[in-house]
């Protein structure tokens, strides 16, 4: 396992003890394979970040903790690492803690480990549940600033929220849906990954409110708890199509869009309008293929830059600034797709 990094730096990146890292690097026994993977990932992260960062100044270690489908966490990682060279005056190192789903206790254990070992800041995408609220309070008590990303936790001790106005995004989706469906009959399927993520709840409320005001006769059919994963989304959508032969359009709030489209195809049904969120690798391909009507997107690079600046300001590395404004909501079609990060 050749690399130029000292054991202390690898241990810090991985969040493990130097002794554990030493055992992994030297092939000694008594180490779980999952721990060895963490060491290998830490080395890969350090190597990638070393090639991108050529800054001098204070070094900040920031933990990115996210519960989201892999396609979105990958987009967040790419956005952050693309921003690293411009994060003056500090050098930012990042540790990633990603999971697609799982018990909330596992998520809070991750946050508590960070609180114990220390961090300059946490960027967090998590469900809005009491256990997470308590874990964020413990981070704050440990002097670790928390910035929520994409979905807010307003009742917690978090320092700031970075992302779009989700109610406005839902209302925007309703406006597009109404324009494109026009007077054609049909019900609209709204699909959430989980009712515990505040951003999805707010998008659904914004969508429902705008549809009720502008198109009161249009029926909405709600699906939830697909976790944004194709593996679970397909069966939920297929069952909804079997129950309701009038579903003709989709507002995908939580993802799983490949599975949703496959369910329509397998049922022999057309989807007249499909509005989704985020230009991850799945949606980028589907949009290029004209299988999505539009994607509501926001600049993840800007979001990650702002999150890091908030952490730096919390430590006095940058001058104070005004309140964080919501990110701009971009309506992306197959004809105005931005250049991908990379």
């Amino acid at each position: 396992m050749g690399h130029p990094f000292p054991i202390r730096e690898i241990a810090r990146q991985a969040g493990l003890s130097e002794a554990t890292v030493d055992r992994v690097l030297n092939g000694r026994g008594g180490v779980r394979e999952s721990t060895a993977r963490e060491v290998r990932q830490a080395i890969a992260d350090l190597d990638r970040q070393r090639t991108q960062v050529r800054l001098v100044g204070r070094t900040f270690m920031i933990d990115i903790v996210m519960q989201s489908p892999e396609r979105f966490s990958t987009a967040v990682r790419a956005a952050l690492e693309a921003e690293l060279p411009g994060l003056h005056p500090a050098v930012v190192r990042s540790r990633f803690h990603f999971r697609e789903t799982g018990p909330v206790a596992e998520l809070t254990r991750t946050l508590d480990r960070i609180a114990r070992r220390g961090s300059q800041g946490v960027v967090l995408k998590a469900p809005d549940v009491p256990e997470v609220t308590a874990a964020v309070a413990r981070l704050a008590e440990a002097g670790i600033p928390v910035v929520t990303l994409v979905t807010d936790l307003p009742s917690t001790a978090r320092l700031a929220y970075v992302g779009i106005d989700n109610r406005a995004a839902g209302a925007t989706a309703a406006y597009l849906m109404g324009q494109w469906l026009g007077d054609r009959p049909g019900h609209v399927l709204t699909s959430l990954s989980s009712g515990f993520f505040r951003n999805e709840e707010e998008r659904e409320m914004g969508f429902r409110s705008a549809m009720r005001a502008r198109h009161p006769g249009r029926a909405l059919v709600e699906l939830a708890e697909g976790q944004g994963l194709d593996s679970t989304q397909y069966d939920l959508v297929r069952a909804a199509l079997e129950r309701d032969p009038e579903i003709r359009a989709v507002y995908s709030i939580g993802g799983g869009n490949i599975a949703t489209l496959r369910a329509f195809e397998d049922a022999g049904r057309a989807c007249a309008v499909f509005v989704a969120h985020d230009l991850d690798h799945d949606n980028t391909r589907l949009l290029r293929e004209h299988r999505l009507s539009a994607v509501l997107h926001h600049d993840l690079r800007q979001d990650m830059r702002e999150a890091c600046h908030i952490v730096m300001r919390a430590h006095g590395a940058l001058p104070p600034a005004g309140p964080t404004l919501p990110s701009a909501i971009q309506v992306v079609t197959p004809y105005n797709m931005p250049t991908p990060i990379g």
Side-chain angles (χ1 to χ4, degrees):
M1 195 182 292
H3 60 83
F5 307 109
I7 288 177
R8 177 176 298 178
E9 189 171 3
I10 298 169
R12 186 181 184 205
Q13 178 74 25
L16 299 170
S17 70
E18 293 181 29
T20 298
V21 172
D22 182 70
R23 285 200 298 273
V24 172
L25 295 179
N26 291 288
R28 301 191 184 98
V31 179
R32 291 192 298 261
E33 174 56 28
S34 60
T35 302
R37 282 198 303 270
E38 290 178 7
V39 172
R40 291 193 292 270
Q41 184 62 54
I43 293 171
D45 288 342
L46 285 169
D47 187 60
R48 184 173 54 252
Q49 294 171 26
R50 183 186 63 161
T51 64
Q52 293 171 318
V53 177
R54 295 290 184 268
L55 306 177
V56 294
R58 292 175 59 182
T59 298
F60 285 80
M61 180 63 76
I62 296 179
D63 290 272
I64 318 299
V65 183
M66 297 179 59
Q67 179 173 315
S68 68
E70 178 272 338
R71 60 181 180 271
F72 187 72
S73 57
T74 296
V76 168
R77 181 197 291 263
L80 174 60
E81 293 182 343
E83 283 299 305
L84 291 180
L87 289 173
H88 298 280
V91 174
V92 173
R93 297 291 191 190
S94 50
R95 291 184 292 228
F96 300 98
H97 314 267
F98 294 156
R99 66 182 210 150
E100 291 196 309
T101 186
V104 71
E106 292 180 5
L107 179 60
T108 57
R109 278 197 293 271
T110 296
L111 297 175
D112 286 339
R113 280 198 302 271
I114 294 169
R116 287 195 300 272
R117 76 184 178 208
S119 175
Q120 275 72 54
V122 171
V123 177
L124 177 63
K125 179 184 181 295
D128 189 1
V129 295
E131 296 91 333
V132 171
T133 298
V136 172
R138 291 190 289 273
L139 285 165
E141 289 167 3
I144 300 172
V146 176
V147 179
T148 52
L149 174 69
V150 178
T151 183
D152 199 9
L153 301 168
S155 62
T156 68
R158 61 94 170 125
L159 189 60
Y161 162 71
V162 171
I164 60 173
D165 179 331
N166 286 292
R167 280 181 179 265
T172 301
Y175 174 80
L176 296 173
M177 187 70 67
Q179 291 291 306
W180 284 330
L181 279 180
D183 295 329
R184 287 180 289 172
H187 300 167
V188 178
L189 183 71
T190 63
S191 174
L192 295 83
S193 71
S194 172
F196 292 107
F197 285 93
R198 181 172 287 267
N199 66 326
E200 296 191 16
E201 181 184 52
E202 291 176 345
R203 290 173 187 176
E204 194 275 338
M205 288 190 292
F207 184 80
R208 186 175 295 276
S209 176
M211 288 295 288
R212 187 184 302 117
R214 298 176 62 88
H215 309 283
R218 184 78 66 183
L220 306 182
V221 181
E222 182 178 323
L223 282 186
E225 304 310 318
Q227 306 304 319
L229 304 177
D230 290 324
S231 57
T232 50
Q233 183 76 0
Y234 177 86
D235 291 338
L236 290 171
V237 176
R238 189 64 189 270
L241 293 175
E242 290 173 358
R243 289 192 303 268
D244 189 337
E246 300 304 317
I247 295 174
R248 295 286 184 271
V250 173
Y251 173 37
S252 175
I253 300 171
N257 300 328
I258 291 176
T260 297
L261 286 164
R262 181 160 51 88
F264 270 86
E265 291 165 1
D266 291 352
R269 303 264 289 275
C271 184
V273 181
F274 198 132
V275 180
H277 279 271
D278 301 315
L279 273 183
D280 54 46
H281 50 73
D282 284 357
N283 286 345
T284 296
R285 178 170 63 83
L286 293 173
L287 197 59
R288 284 202 181 104
E289 295 171 353
H290 291 247
R291 299 174 72 193
L292 300 179
S293 307
V295 171
L296 301 181
H297 184 62
H298 56 286
D299 187 344
L300 282 175
R301 287 185 59 167
Q302 176 185 321
D303 288 349
M304 298 311 296
R305 180 169 64 249
E306 179 62 20
C308 291
H309 283 170
I310 290 168
V311 171
M312 292 179 193
R313 284 194 288 269
H315 292 280
L318 288 176
T324 303
L325 300 176
S327 305
I329 301 167
Q330 305 171 20
V331 179
V332 183
T333 73
Y335 302 101
N336 69 330
M337 297 177 66
T339 303
I341 297 170

